[in-house]
Amino acid sequence: MRFGVNHTPSVGWFHSWLDFSPSDTARDLEAIASLGADHVRIFPLWPIVQPNRSLIRQQALDDVATVVDIAGSFGLDVNVDALQGHLSSFDFVPSWLDSWHRRNMFTDPDVVASTAAYVRALAAAVADKPNLLGITIGNEVNQFAHAPHPAPHDITAEQGHAWAAAMVSAARDGLDSGLEARPAPAPSTAPGTGSRPRPLVTVAQYDAAWYDDAQPFGPEHASDHGDATVTHSWVFNGSAALHGALGPGSVRHGEYLLQLAAAWNRDPARPNWLQEVGAPTNVIAPADAASFTEQTIRHVLDAQHVLGVTWWCSHDVSRSLADFPELEYDLGLFTNDGRVKPAGEAFAAMARAGATAGGAGAGAGDRTPPPTALVLDDVMPDGADRHGVRADCAPGGRFAAAWLDLATTAPDGRGPQVVLRSRLADTDLLAARGITRCVDVPADLDTTTLTVAHPATMS
Amino acid sequence: MRFGVNHTPSVGWFHSWLDFSPSDTARDLEAIASLGADHVRIFPLWPIVQPNRSLIRQQALDDVATVVDIAGSFGLDVNVDALQGHLSSFDFVPSWLDSWHRRNMFTDPDVVASTAAYVRALAAAVADKPNLLGITIGNEVNQFAHAPHPAPHDITAEQGHAWAAAMVSAARDGLDSGLEARPAPAPSTAPGTGSRPRPLVTVAQYDAAWYDDAQPFGPEHASDHGDATVTHSWVFNGSAALHGALGPGSVRHGEYLLQLAAAWNRDPARPNWLQEVGAPTNVIAPADAASFTEQTIRHVLDAQHVLGVTWWCSHDVSRSLADFPELEYDLGLFTNDGRVKPAGEAFAAMARAGATAGGAGAGAGDRTPPPTALVLDDVMPDGADRHGVRADCAPGGRFAAAWLDLATTAPDGRGPQVVLRSRLADTDLLAARGITRCVDVPADLDTTTLTVAHPATMS
């Protein structure tokens, strides 16, 4: 079980790539390491690295590689996200893909080939770092694929699969070529950087993938591509409004999303990664942030095959920067000027306890899976895909309510796994997942409905 | 009469601001100076300088100031454009003004205030440079104000006036504060940088301002704001298609646009600046570029009160960069690798002859105005503004045809001035402009019409 933090640079936010400062970076990463984190996730800005479709700036790649090295000096592994893309309400789209040059981001052959070239180059630039945790294709790129994005690049699910496959392939090619091209690193004795497993390649999506039937990127894009299934949990999606900031539907939302997403994994041993979760002040009072953090992580520890949890985020956005949603100024585990906040203390306590607990160390799958699974009706009686299944899973939906009922009444306090109706007959799969009892959503379930504010502008 | 060149960096195009290299810049500027040019126009990219609405990067301002100094070392004055904005088919819009953060660029109070802050800071950063020719608000920003821009920030003409006034005021404030804040420069003995006149503040528009009745920025935005009336002449606007690459309607288009724009000047002594003109290969064969250049400049010299001509552009775009309109790869006076092209030789010959001709030197107004003026029907018989007047002025329009008839039949070869019907009674103005004969567009004029390809994606 890994504990990490999404690095939001304290000076200049991600615009700091324009004025890259190793010392500013080192100060931030030293602080993050002091919390007991073992990794960070970092975010180059796409238009800065690839300002022209055929120009990938070596200096930008070098800066990313330098950040990885600095992190390593503090014992931190690093996950590098490629396509930003979208961060904290701001879109960063290269000029060659916008306005007069607008083409579909996911399907235009020239765009896809050049985007893959960037992913490949970025992966290659950090491939030989002993502390490279992995490459994520980009932060919640599925936001661009459908409404409510204000200018979506609409696609089909099939086109989403082709794109994700191309990007994952590019990342793996980059990792391979980067390792081939460079001398093997000397064996490292730095903490946490011993005999490294192969870096992970992952695809990150915002939760419309699981909750919005109209979003072309869905659960199978999360489960079928890359090396782990990634979830991002943001309770401003209606969870906190429905259940209260510290209600079980809020502090267990990360756990729920991990279980929900894992249901689509074809490989029962596939790791699941809660790559983003935070305590947004638009729905969680600052005074509740520490408790939310502690309870959220505690519940995540109850899930099986959890690769890790990576908190959003390290540092509050500076009030000197304009136009962020209000909550972004208070999402940090540290204040902008570097003081640890109560949520940071809570994270640190969990990270330190988690890092020393159990026997399997950093590997996923060190927790016996919950034996009960709630059945998700993903198919119609005739076997066709059921439209509406994702709405059922969203906060306030029938399935979400049933899962929460089971979770809060479980004797051991652990939320149930989720199994797809379409896979119920796969007894090998169920056995491998440790599922011994399957439960249907009660026909007489009393659900509460609510209007869910769309999270897309938020993070 | 000034001779200048728009600097298109040979290495990395304008993306080179991300990897600013004084030596690359010096090599380009030395080459430009070798043509006999006395000034360059340079183009910071807006999102690089102001990546957050409240973050104006000091390093980016310093880089611009360094370019001005390097230019000075080669005897070149510099005009700095602020809001790019738009360059060679690419739009560069900060993330705080696009997508989820989209607001009207010209009217949103926060956006206008922050845009003004950037213009002010940029002007202040170069205010004390003895070789500062001026500040232009931005390159053809009026492109963003209406269709055919793919995502226009539509406004009224009045809103355009308010915006232009705010930006010009910001530039002047910046120049004033920059001069106050810094020690007075030592008297310079570098060529062309003697006792410098106050830097010019200008507003640059693409030619829809004169040719498209629907464009909110019109002739009066050019003539009523700043210190000179700026025109950009691109014969892919239909001129070359109608008249041929070397036809009089093409090689006199720059002269025509200077005369047309000057008609709106309220101050008869106001200088007029042909700030962009080039030989685009989509309508001018490369073999004709030198002749086009020579003839264009020769005709411009026939106009009165011409501040200067600034050729687009210095260097061909590298073929290693993708997605430019084909013509952009061949617009330079130099090849991308620095060899002077025939058009560059033609420019150099004109610049050297022009720089030594006449007695008034670099000042505008050193040519006796043509005594004849063609009357432009800008008002209806009842005095109301006449819609359609700009279409009449466009290539192929009645007014344009009539001007060209007069120009090509004039005994001295000089194209006529233009006078607005609404100002015909202003005898003082006519006298000050040296107009002794006013000619109406013939009622029986035989005009040819053509379909004009819109130039907006081109430069």
Side-chain angles (χ1 to χ4, degrees):
Chain A
M1 172 80 181
R2 311 288 304 251
F3 290 86
V5 177
N6 289 282
H7 178 219
T8 46
S10 61
V11 177
W13 192 62
F14 297 106
H15 305 303
S16 57
W17 291 110
L18 291 167
D19 294 289
F20 177 60
S21 163
S23 61
D24 285 345
T25 303
R27 190 183 54 247
D28 286 356
L29 296 180
E30 182 178 41
I32 292 170
S34 78
L35 298 180
D38 59 64
H39 70 276
V40 291
R41 183 170 164 236
I42 68 169
F43 306 89
L45 298 188
W46 187 12
I48 294 179
V49 188
Q50 192 175 27
N52 179 273
R53 189 163 61 78
S54 60
L55 174 61
I56 297 170
R57 294 176 53 240
Q58 186 60 47
Q59 184 62 53
L61 299 178
D62 291 349
D63 289 346
V64 172
T66 299
V67 175
V68 178
D69 286 341
I70 293 170
S73 77
F74 296 109
L76 293 167
D77 290 347
V78 180
N79 190 79
V80 181
D81 274 45
L83 298 169
Q84 286 74 237
H86 181 89
L87 286 167
S88 301
S89 84
F90 292 98
D91 284 349
F92 299 94
V93 176
S95 63
W96 50 269
L97 189 44
D98 203 10
S99 190
W100 299 101
H101 290 275
R102 184 180 166 91
R103 289 160 284 182
N104 190 288
M105 181 187 297
F106 302 102
T107 61
D108 180 274
D110 287 342
V111 170
V112 173
S114 298
T115 306
Y118 162 48
V119 172
R120 190 178 300 113
L122 185 67
V126 293
D128 67 346
K129 304 297 179 190
N131 61 323
L132 180 67
L133 175 60
I135 301 289
T136 296
I137 299 314
N139 183 49
E140 303 187 354
V141 184
N142 66 319
Q143 283 218 11
F144 290 96
H146 198 70
H149 192 279
H153 296 250
D154 286 296
I155 54 170
T156 65
E158 290 65 33
Q159 290 170 325
H161 278 296
W163 181 84
M167 295 305 124
V168 167
S169 173
R172 288 178 174 155
D173 286 353
L175 291 172
D176 289 344
S177 68
L179 281 173
E180 285 167 13
R182 300 179 188 199
S188 170
T189 56
T193 59
S195 63
R196 179 191 71 164
R198 183 184 166 83
L200 298 164
V201 175
T202 48
V203 176
Q205 306 184 133
Y206 90 112
D207 64 11
W210 290 275
Y211 295 157
D212 180 355
D213 291 279
Q215 163 64 232
F217 284 93
E220 286 158 319
H221 295 82
S223 64
D224 288 356
H225 299 279
D227 304 311
T229 297
V230 167
T231 46
H232 290 186
S233 168
W234 288 103
V235 297
F236 51 53
N237 65 1
S239 299
L242 182 61
H243 302 289
L246 298 180
S250 294
V251 299
R252 303 189 76 145
H253 184 260
E255 177 195 11
Y256 168 63
L257 203 46
L258 280 164
Q259 292 294 8
L260 180 65
W264 271 269
N265 290 349
R266 298 181 200 277
D267 173 2
R270 183 177 168 97
N272 302 295
W273 181 6
L274 184 57
Q275 195 188 41
E276 281 187 24
V277 57
T281 56
N282 59 339
V283 290
I284 300 173
D288 291 334
S291 178
F292 177 86
T293 303
E294 187 271 341
Q295 293 190 64
T296 291
I297 297 175
R298 193 171 299 283
H299 286 295
V300 164
L301 292 171
D302 275 341
Q304 76 292 347
H305 295 308
V306 178
L307 183 146
V309 55
T310 311
W311 204 259
W312 190 283
C313 60
S314 66
H315 290 77
D316 290 345
V317 174
S318 168
R319 288 275 171 195
S320 72
L321 298 177
D323 297 334
F324 285 82
E326 182 61 25
L327 66 94
E328 302 282 349
Y329 296 104
D330 201 14
L331 273 178
L333 298 177
F334 295 94
T335 60
N336 183 259
D337 61 356
R339 285 172 291 113
V340 64
K341 292 161 66 179
E345 302 282 11
F347 174 90
M350 296 303 295
R352 289 177 188 129
T356 57
D366 50 344
R367 187 81 203 258
T368 306
T372 299
L374 184 65
V375 179
L376 176 59
D377 286 310
D378 61 326
V379 286
M380 302 294 288
D382 64 359
D385 288 347
R386 185 171 73 84
H387 190 79
V389 62
R390 289 194 266 177
D392 264 6
C393 296
R398 285 179 54 81
F399 184 84
W403 187 90
L404 195 60
D405 271 357
L406 281 176
T408 52
T409 56
D412 61 358
R414 299 175 70 191
Q417 295 195 65
V418 176
V419 66
L420 304 182
R421 167 100 41 215
S422 62
R423 297 185 190 173
L424 267 184
D426 186 344
T427 51
D428 289 348
L429 177 72
L430 267 59
R433 297 183 65 190
I435 295 172
T436 57
R437 174 175 169 250
C438 293
V439 179
D440 281 344
V441 173
D444 60 349
L445 183 75
D446 176 27
T447 61
T448 308
T449 59
L450 79 168
T451 303
V452 177
H454 200 281
T457 60
M458 294 306 185
S459 177
Chain B
M1 172 78 182
R2 310 287 305 250
F3 290 85
V5 177
N6 289 281
H7 177 218
T8 46
S10 61
V11 177
W13 193 61
F14 297 106
H15 306 304
S16 56
W17 291 111
L18 291 167
D19 294 289
F20 177 60
S21 163
S23 61
D24 285 345
T25 303
R27 189 183 55 247
D28 286 356
L29 297 180
E30 182 178 41
I32 292 169
S34 77
L35 298 179
D38 59 64
H39 71 276
V40 291
R41 183 170 165 236
I42 68 170
F43 305 89
L45 298 187
W46 188 11
I48 294 179
V49 188
Q50 192 176 26
N52 179 273
R53 189 164 62 78
S54 61
L55 174 62
I56 298 169
R57 294 177 53 240
Q58 187 60 48
Q59 184 61 54
L61 299 178
D62 291 348
D63 290 346
V64 172
T66 299
V67 174
V68 177
D69 285 342
I70 294 170
S73 76
F74 296 110
L76 293 166
D77 290 347
V78 180
N79 190 79
V80 182
D81 275 46
L83 298 170
Q84 287 73 239
H86 182 89
L87 285 168
S88 301
S89 84
F90 292 98
D91 284 349
F92 299 94
V93 176
S95 62
W96 50 268
L97 188 45
D98 204 9
S99 190
W100 299 101
H101 290 275
R102 184 179 165 93
R103 290 160 283 182
N104 191 289
M105 180 187 298
F106 302 102
T107 61
D108 180 273
D110 288 341
V111 170
V112 173
S114 297
T115 306
Y118 162 48
V119 172
R120 189 178 300 112
L122 185 66
V126 293
D128 67 344
K129 304 297 179 189
N131 62 323
L132 180 67
L133 177 59
I135 301 289
T136 296
I137 299 314
N139 183 50
E140 302 186 354
V141 184
N142 65 318
Q143 283 217 13
F144 290 96
H146 198 69
H149 192 280
H153 296 251
D154 286 296
I155 54 169
T156 65
E158 289 66 33
Q159 290 170 323
H161 279 296
W163 181 84
M167 294 305 124
V168 168
S169 174
R172 287 178 175 155
D173 287 352
L175 291 171
D176 289 344
S177 67
L179 281 172
E180 284 166 12
R182 301 180 187 198
S188 169
T189 56
T193 59
S195 61
R196 179 192 70 164
R198 182 184 168 81
L200 298 164
V201 175
T202 48
V203 177
Q205 307 184 133
Y206 90 111
D207 64 11
W210 290 276
Y211 295 157
D212 179 355
D213 290 279
Q215 162 64 231
F217 284 92
E220 285 158 319
H221 296 81
S223 65
D224 288 356
H225 298 280
D227 303 312
T229 297
V230 167
T231 46
H232 290 185
S233 168
W234 288 102
V235 297
F236 51 52
N237 65 1
S239 299
L242 182 61
H243 302 290
L246 298 180
S250 293
V251 299
R252 303 190 77 147
H253 183 261
E255 177 195 11
Y256 168 62
L257 204 45
L258 281 164
Q259 291 293 8
L260 180 65
W264 271 268
N265 290 348
R266 297 181 201 277
D267 173 2
R270 182 176 168 97
N272 302 295
W273 181 5
L274 185 56
Q275 195 188 42
E276 280 187 23
V277 56
T281 56
N282 59 340
V283 291
I284 299 173
D288 291 334
S291 177
F292 176 86
T293 304
E294 187 272 339
Q295 292 190 63
T296 290
I297 297 175
R298 193 172 298 282
H299 285 296
V300 164
L301 292 170
D302 275 341
Q304 75 292 347
H305 296 307
V306 178
L307 182 147
V309 57
T310 311
W311 204 260
W312 190 284
C313 60
S314 65
H315 291 78
D316 290 345
V317 174
S318 169
R319 288 275 168 193
S320 72
L321 297 177
D323 296 334
F324 285 82
E326 181 62 24
L327 65 93
E328 302 282 348
Y329 296 103
D330 200 14
L331 272 178
L333 298 177
F334 295 93
T335 60
N336 183 260
D337 62 356
R339 286 172 291 114
V340 65
K341 293 162 65 181
E345 302 283 10
F347 174 89
M350 296 304 295
R352 289 178 187 128
T356 57
D366 50 343
R367 188 82 202 259
T368 307
T372 299
L374 184 63
V375 179
L376 176 58
D377 285 309
D378 61 326
V379 286
M380 302 294 287
D382 65 359
D385 288 347
R386 184 172 73 83
H387 190 79
V389 62
R390 288 194 268 177
D392 263 7
C393 296
R398 284 179 55 81
F399 185 84
W403 186 91
L404 195 60
D405 271 357
L406 281 175
T408 53
T409 57
D412 62 0
R414 300 176 69 191
Q417 295 193 66
V418 176
V419 65
L420 305 182
R421 172 126 3 240
S422 62
R423 297 184 189 173
L424 267 184
D426 187 344
T427 52
D428 288 348
L429 178 71
L430 267 60
R433 297 184 63 191
I435 295 171
T436 57
R437 174 174 168 250
C438 294
V439 179
D440 281 344
V441 174
D444 61 349
L445 183 75
D446 176 28
T447 61
T448 307
T449 58
L450 78 169
T451 302
V452 177
H454 200 281
T457 60
M458 294 305 183
S459 177

